[in-house]
Amino acid sequence: QGNIRVFCRVRPLLPLERHRQRGLQHLHFPPQEPRSLVGRERRPELRYDFSFDRVFPPGASQQEIFQEIQLLVQV
C-alpha cells in the first residue's frame, strides 16, 4: 500500500438529525465490502459509489477503529 490511506467514518446521527432525517437511509454499507460506501438520492436511479481504504459505519466502536489504524498512529 502507498503512503496515503483514506478512511471514512460515518458518525451516528444526533437526536435532532435522527428526528429530521429518519435514519441514514441514503447511505448503504455493503457488508461484503468494508471499503465501500454507497450514497443514494431520493430518486433510485441516482447512486454514488465511494471507495476508501476502510469505511466505518455509525455503529463502529472506538476500539474497532483503533485496531485498524494503530500501526499508522504509532509510526
Side-chain angles (χ1 to χ4, degrees), residues 2-50:
N3 291 333
I4 298 175
R5 303 211 28 214
V6 180
F7 295 91
C8 173
R9 182 181 189 187
V10 179
R11 67 168 172 79
L13 292 173
L14 299 173
L16 181 60
E17 294 169 328
R18 202 173 295 134
H19 181 279
R20 283 188 197 158
Q21 297 178 5
R22 295 184 184 90
L24 292 171
Q25 300 159 349
H26 60 286
L27 294 179
H28 177 67
F29 305 92
Q32 69 280 6
E33 185 52 55
R35 296 173 173 230
S36 297
L37 172 65
V38 178
R40 297 177 193 252
E41 292 285 337
R42 291 184 181 170
R43 298 187 338 235
E45 68 274 8
L46 290 178
R47 173 185 161 131
Y48 304 98
D49 295 305
F50 301 97

Side-chain angles (χ1 to χ4, degrees), residues 39-70:
R40 297 177 193 252
E41 292 285 337
R42 291 184 181 170
R43 298 187 338 235
E45 68 274 8
L46 290 178
R47 173 185 161 131
Y48 304 98
D49 295 305
F50 301 97
S51 294
F52 301 93
D53 287 298
R54 177 73 194 268
V55 174
F56 297 98
S61 69
Q62 291 287 90
Q63 184 171 356
E64 179 183 350
I65 294 168
F66 183 73
Q67 286 175 349
E68 180 71 29
I69 67 166
Q70 68 182 341

